[in-house]
Amino acid sequence: PQPGTRPATGAATETALAAAMAMARPAGFAAPLGGGVGAAGAGAAGGPALAAALAEQQAASEAAKAKALRRIYVGSLHYALKETDVLGVFAAFGNVVEVTMPMEPTGRSKGFCFVEYDSPASATQALETMNGFELAGRSIKVGRPDGYQQAAAQHASSAPAGPPTPLALHVPTGLPTG
């Protein structure tokens, strides 16, 4: 290629490049003249490829948030316990989608796991009931994994607003009058 030109590439590559450049552009900076890169030009707003990429990214983010609301951390487990043992106990609170238990190279449990339910309500009920429960001679700790606080806050902010909560009004007595 000559100086100041790029080698020829396919339309898909050009569109992906335009989308990447649009996402990297700081706020307040205009798109390049001509509306994009190459003959395919993604347009000032990034075009359909950018919209599809953003929609895919948003869907993945929403899926991750939903998963965080359905997962719990279970710690201080006896090292001899297996995933099936944990599943047998935690299935009492709802449909368990997955139990993930990291193992040592020796095949022994690392002493913690993650339980994912099909609903946030089941996860919450298991957490509230099982935290401090004695399992295989050990008092287990049940909590939320990292990322839960952010997912819960974002879920709450996107939930439809219900009726306003009534406020309690306290009127002091014994104040001087007039």
Side-chain angles (χ1 to χ4, degrees), residues 55-65:
E56 185 178 321
Q57 184 179 18
Q58 184 176 5
S61 176
E62 292 299 322
K65 288 178 212 168

Side-chain angles (χ1 to χ4, degrees), residues 23-101:
M23 289 191 304
R25 188 176 305 118
F29 283 81
L33 293 177
V37 186
L50 177 59
L54 291 175
E56 185 178 321
Q57 184 179 18
Q58 184 176 5
S61 176
E62 292 299 322
K65 288 178 212 168
K67 185 173 184 170
L69 296 173
R70 297 187 315 256
R71 285 174 53 103
I72 57 173
Y73 162 85
V74 182
S76 296
L77 291 172
H78 191 282
Y79 297 110
L81 290 175
K82 303 287 182 208
E83 289 177 353
T84 54
D85 301 320
V86 173
L87 175 63
V89 173
F90 282 84
F93 302 99
N95 185 35
V96 175
V97 175
E98 180 180 31
V99 176
T100 306
M101 180 180 286

Side-chain angles (χ1 to χ4, degrees), residues 92-169:
F93 302 99
N95 185 35
V96 175
V97 175
E98 180 180 31
V99 176
T100 306
M101 180 180 286
M103 305 297 269
E104 297 285 353
T106 62
R108 183 179 96 155
S109 161
K110 288 189 174 186
F112 70 94
C113 71
F114 298 93
V115 178
E116 181 182 344
Y117 287 94
D118 65 354
S119 76
S122 295
T124 300
Q125 184 181 12
L127 184 152
E128 292 172 352
T129 305
M130 296 300 290
N131 190 32
F133 183 83
E134 190 171 309
L135 181 62
R138 299 187 70 171
S139 178
I140 62 173
K141 299 189 181 352
V142 182
R144 295 292 185 168
D146 291 342
Y148 170 77
Q149 296 295 345
Q150 181 182 7
Q154 290 175 348
H155 177 73
S157 68
S158 65
T165 306
L167 298 174
L169 181 62

